[in-house]
């Protein structure tokens, strides 16, 4: 889930308009607005492009786009993936 408050702050801090940010990120203005309102999720490529355009650090990017809940799910899936890999390696 995106932290829209932090993302809107980063957009404001950039000094660029939403139109300029959307254009430089390769998405339409409407798509950017919809994603900020939670109508749809950001794709990995959009996160990467926005991070570059807004000059976000890795920590800022993670705080904006990856909630702690998502990290818990990600880590659980990685642990499960590791167990499955070990199981198949032992065969």
């Amino acid at each position: 889930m995106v932290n829209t408050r932090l993302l809107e702050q980063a957009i404001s801090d950039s000094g660029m308009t939403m139109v300029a940010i959307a254009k430089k990120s390769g998405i339409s203005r409407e798509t950017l607005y919809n994603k900020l309102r939670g109508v749809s999720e950001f794709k990995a490529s959009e996160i990467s492009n926005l991070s570059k355009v807004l000059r976000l650090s890795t920590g800022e990017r993670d705080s904006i786009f990856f909630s702690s809940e998502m990290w818990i799910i990600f880590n659980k899936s990685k642990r499960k993936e590791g167990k499955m890999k070990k199981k198949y390696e032992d065969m």
Side-chain angles (χ1 to χ4, degrees):
M1 181 176 274
V2 175
N3 185 326
T4 54
R5 183 184 57 79
L6 288 178
L7 181 53
E8 288 171 350
Q9 184 62 52
I11 290 168
S12 176
D13 291 348
S14 76
M16 291 184 275
T17 65
M18 292 287 276
V19 173
I21 291 168
K23 187 174 183 177
K24 290 181 179 192
S25 299
I27 58 178
S28 72
R29 179 187 56 82
E30 295 83 11
T31 299
L32 181 56
Y33 279 114
N34 284 336
K35 291 176 187 276
L36 282 168
R37 288 191 310 235
V39 174
S40 61
E41 296 290 322
F42 284 94
K43 297 176 187 174
S45 60
E46 294 167 339
I47 292 171
S48 177
N49 292 341
L50 276 171
S51 296
K52 289 175 188 170
V53 170
L54 296 173
R55 296 182 177 168
L56 300 175
S57 68
T58 302
E60 290 169 325
R61 180 204 62 204
D62 292 349
S63 294
I64 291 170
F65 293 103
F66 304 107
S67 71
S68 58
E69 293 169 7
M70 289 179 72
W71 279 116
I72 291 168
I73 292 168
F74 176 77
N75 287 332
K76 282 182 182 178
S77 70
K78 284 297 182 187
R79 282 195 303 269
K80 184 177 181 181
E81 182 181 292
K83 288 178 185 176
M84 294 298 291
K85 184 177 179 183
K86 180 159 177 38
K87 179 181 175 182
Y88 286 108
E89 288 173 350
D90 291 341
M91 294 180 121

